[in-house]
Amino acid sequence: METPIDPEQNPEPEKPAAKTPEQIAKEQDALLDAQIKRRSFIAFGTFTALGVAAYGSWRWLLKSPDEVAGVTAGAHAPLRRALNKNELFFRKLFYNEKHLVRTYPKEMAAKNVRVNSDEGLKTKFDPAAWVLQVKKKSGEVLKITIDEIRALPKTEIVFDFKCVEGWDQISHWGGLKFSDFIEHFGLQEEAKLEYCGMETPDKQYYVGLDMPSVMHPQTMLAYEVNDKPLPLDHGAPLRLIIPVKYGIKNLKRIGTINFSDQRPRDYWAELGYDYYSGL
Amino acid sequence: MRKIKEKHSLAMRWFHWVNFPVLTIMIWSGMLIYWGNDVYTLSIGGHVFFKFFPEGFYRFFHFSSRLAEGMAFHFFMMWFFFLNGFLYVVYSIISGEWRNLFPEKKSFKEAWLVLLHDLHIRKTAPPQGKYNAAQRIAYSAIIVMGFGSIATGLAIYKPVQFNWLCWLCGGYHVARIIHFILTLGYVFFFLIHILQVVLAGWRNFQSVITGFEVVKEPSAETVPPVTETPIDDGNAN
């Protein structure tokens, strides 16, 4: 920019000596150096600060205390919050009872169905003396025999059973559709509650399930595997098959069924696993 | 004459440096999960060449018996991995930076020449823009792999709610295998990437932090006008 020169104030402006090309180059070089230094300093400073902050956050998360033990336990408190938020996100946005698990032809079902766990099956047990106990809202306890359940229309499913560990196996189950069970035994009022809980007769294994998953059209109380009565290690006389959940929720040897608006206790959720465990 | 040459936009640097630790945590927590059913092997005709993974490997990294913890971390960090990757792709499209990255027709032919050059078999490498042909292919492949990880991940996370996606991924069983192989792919990429960064030198590395590189510009006084400088502007990685 050119400013008009006031001759009185600055009678003889000194003309700067013409710079040699070397001087110009040198000055430009110094300018460039300063610019490089400034930009590098800001960039590396920011990078280091953010890096330290990120590392600090990670250490915080890794060392964060476990949640207060309740219905769920054993997970870092912030991660448990995340698991619960994930549940809400996927339930609200994506869960739909019309979303069915894929089914397969019978021939594809495994002949040797994997037995992965015997939690809740270790107590001495007489299948002949078994009755299913259903705790109603009124406090009344329904006692249902296996013959009553077998007398109702049977449904079958051949689906890919998925374990939380990561394995899967196509297996074939037969039993009573859970929504038919609700209907037949007059449990409509109970089905309006938020949750359903199931426990083995010895109370050593127990699951809590959200009602939409329990009422899913593919959920059943199974008494057959591969067209034969359930063996004891698969949960005779009656087990849960709930294809919208991991295997951990598919309780064997159901002793009691209860209903609640609060989350019923859940064996694996007390050990750090997601309560919902929905697929 | 030296000159500041802008190389990596702030957004790109952000995506890169957020992705690195997040992906590391995803792989780490993924390993805690994989331990739960570690059945994959490299085998031909029944002969097992390698088992994923040997016992000592789990012991060294403390991967054993931490399935619940692994799932909790994985299903928390997945949001950051997804969000960062999603914004990166959106940014690349809007800013037009994808043009620097997406392989061109000639890239597939040139990638071999780049490889030969990197292996010191060939003296010169083909002329390039911001990224060379091999980089274009590798970096684009990584984006495709990211899509793959998210798709197969979602397929095994919610196989019933996203049964169509699970079907697209070849079913639950296959989706888990693909998810695992992609992870091996990231580790492989990482090793090559680190090697290339080391070979390319400090000047190249710091540009991913500062965003710029100082380049020597051939000026009329110092360099004769007709010079074919073999490309080595530190662009290797």
Side-chain angles (χ1 to χ4, degrees):
Chain A
M1 200 174 15
E2 262 181 276
T3 38
I5 298 160
D6 185 346
E8 271 178 44
Q9 266 186 3
N10 214 344
E12 244 174 49
E14 221 173 293
K15 209 183 167 194
K19 286 176 185 166
T20 63
E22 284 76 23
Q23 275 177 313
I24 293 171
K26 219 176 173 183
E27 269 173 29
Q28 279 182 343
D29 224 41
L31 217 64
L32 186 74
D33 266 335
Q35 204 184 354
I36 291 167
K37 262 200 192 129
R38 193 178 56 86
R39 282 188 62 177
S40 298
F41 180 77
I42 293 170
F44 274 94
T46 312
F47 184 77
T48 310
L50 288 176
V52 167
Y55 183 73
S57 314
W58 171 244
R59 293 303 293 178
W60 171 80
L61 184 61
L62 200 62
K63 302 282 171 204
S64 60
D66 275 4
E67 60 190 307
V68 178
V71 170
T72 62
H76 294 282
L79 294 180
R80 176 63 73 184
R81 277 198 293 278
L83 286 175
N84 289 337
K85 292 272 182 256
N86 282 353
E87 168 181 344
L88 288 180
F89 178 83
F90 283 97
R91 275 180 74 173
K92 284 195 175 141
L93 258 70
F94 299 104
Y95 181 83
N96 188 327
E97 60 165 28
K98 291 192 187 95
H99 291 165
L100 300 179
V101 74
R102 203 187 147 197
T103 55
Y104 297 83
K106 262 188 198 180
E107 304 82 67
M108 288 181 72
K111 296 286 166 286
N112 287 315
V113 181
R114 181 162 170 170
V115 177
N116 208 52
S117 161
D118 62 351
E119 297 300 331
L121 307 182
K122 292 169 192 165
T123 315
K124 206 165 167 281
F125 176 69
D126 176 16
W130 177 90
V131 281
L132 175 65
Q133 300 190 33
V134 182
K135 290 179 183 156
K136 292 189 72 171
K137 245 172 134 177
S138 58
E140 184 195 347
V141 178
L142 286 185
K143 295 196 168 163
I144 302 167
T145 64
I146 192 68
D147 290 333
E148 284 177 84
I149 288 169
R150 282 178 175 276
L152 296 169
K154 186 171 90 174
T155 10
E156 290 180 53
I157 190 167
V158 183
F159 80 107
D160 194 21
F161 186 97
K162 297 160 197 82
C163 178
V164 72
E165 292 171 351
W167 56 268
D168 62 300
Q169 188 185 44
I170 297 173
S171 48
H172 171 203
W173 307 89
L176 173 63
K177 200 165 140 180
F178 197 85
S179 55
D180 289 351
F181 169 82
I182 293 287
E183 193 80 26
H184 184 266
F185 291 100
L187 298 164
Q188 290 87 348
E189 280 309 304
E190 280 72 15
K192 284 179 191 157
L193 300 180
E194 297 280 323
Y195 294 96
C196 174
M198 299 187 190
E199 309 208 350
T200 55
D202 66 0
K203 313 276 179 214
Q204 296 300 303
Y205 195 79
Y206 35 89
V207 296
L209 305 151
D210 55 287
M211 200 58 75
S213 298
V214 179
M215 296 301 282
H216 186 273
Q218 291 174 308
T219 302
M220 66 161 78
L221 297 169
Y223 46 77
E224 279 179 4
V225 59
N226 282 336
D227 289 322
K228 290 191 192 76
L230 281 181
L232 273 176
D233 57 5
H234 276 306
L238 192 70
R239 73 168 297 171
L240 179 67
I241 286 295
I242 182 160
V244 293
K245 301 281 184 190
Y246 280 125
I248 47 173
K249 295 279 192 185
N250 290 243
L251 185 112
K252 295 170 179 174
R253 195 189 286 176
I254 308 170
T256 55
I257 298 179
N258 55 72
F259 303 89
S260 169
D261 268 334
Q262 272 78 47
R263 284 174 157 187
R265 63 186 193 135
D266 186 277
Y267 184 89
W268 290 106
E270 291 172 3
L271 296 169
Y273 287 85
D274 180 27
Y275 188 91
Y276 184 61
S277 289
L279 298 172
Chain B
M1 264 289 283
R2 293 180 311 155
K3 202 186 128 195
I4 284 182
K5 188 178 144 203
E6 303 299 335
K7 199 172 167 191
H8 301 291
S9 65
L10 182 62
M12 282 302 188
R13 283 175 275 154
W14 172 268
F15 295 132
H16 174 268
W17 289 112
V18 168
N19 188 62
F20 170 56
V22 170
L23 182 56
T24 305
I25 296 169
M26 287 306 279
I27 294 174
W28 167 75
S29 53
M31 289 307 307
L32 300 184
I33 297 171
Y34 173 73
W35 171 88
N37 185 44
D38 61 335
V39 290
Y40 301 148
T41 56
L42 266 185
S43 49
I44 300 167
H47 181 77
V48 176
F49 287 93
F50 187 77
K51 180 183 182 292
F52 297 102
F53 289 90
E55 208 37 58
F57 176 81
Y58 293 119
R59 223 174 304 123
F60 182 78
F61 287 106
H62 302 286
F63 284 155
S64 301
S65 306
R66 296 172 73 180
L67 172 60
E69 193 187 356
M71 292 176 85
F73 275 109
H74 211 65
F75 302 147
F76 174 52
M77 296 307 291
M78 66 180 186
W79 293 108
F80 299 96
F81 178 70
F82 167 73
L83 208 67
N84 191 59
F86 176 76
L87 292 176
Y88 166 69
V89 170
V90 169
Y91 171 81
S92 296
I93 292 168
I94 292 174
S95 69
E97 289 214 36
W98 66 273
R99 269 177 260 267
N100 289 322
L101 198 78
F102 209 67
E104 300 159 300
K105 235 186 208 166
K106 60 177 184 182
S107 297
F108 295 95
K109 230 186 278 167
E110 285 183 7
W112 291 109
L113 304 179
V114 174
L115 181 69
L116 293 175
H117 174 253
D118 285 356
L119 294 173
H120 299 283
I121 295 168
R122 212 168 169 277
K123 275 225 169 67
T124 57
Q128 65 177 71
K130 183 174 173 182
Y131 298 122
N132 67 41
Q135 283 178 299
R136 279 173 182 267
I137 291 169
Y139 296 169
S140 297
I142 275 289
I143 298 170
V144 174
M145 286 163 68
F147 273 113
S149 284
I150 285 164
T152 53
L154 192 55
I156 45 186
Y157 182 54
K158 298 287 167 197
V160 183
Q161 304 318 318
F162 296 93
N163 49 15
W164 56 272
L165 182 66
C166 194
W167 176 81
L168 266 178
C169 293
Y172 183 82
H173 197 81
V174 174
R176 188 177 186 260
I177 294 172
I178 299 173
H179 200 69
F180 181 78
I181 292 171
L182 287 171
T183 308
L184 293 182
Y186 295 129
V187 176
F188 178 71
F189 174 91
F190 175 75
L191 295 176
I192 303 288
H193 188 58
I194 291 301
L195 180 74
Q196 294 278 48
V197 168
V198 169
L199 290 177
W202 173 253
R203 199 161 57 106
N204 166 69
F205 173 76
Q206 62 114 49
S207 74
V208 190
I209 293 169
T210 61
F212 67 89
E213 238 178 59
V214 182
V215 293
K216 283 199 178 68
E217 231 186 23
S219 68
E221 288 126 68
T222 52
V223 183
V226 262
T227 320
E228 284 265 324
T229 32
I231 60 112
D232 176 30
D233 58 350
N235 254 332
N237 253 74

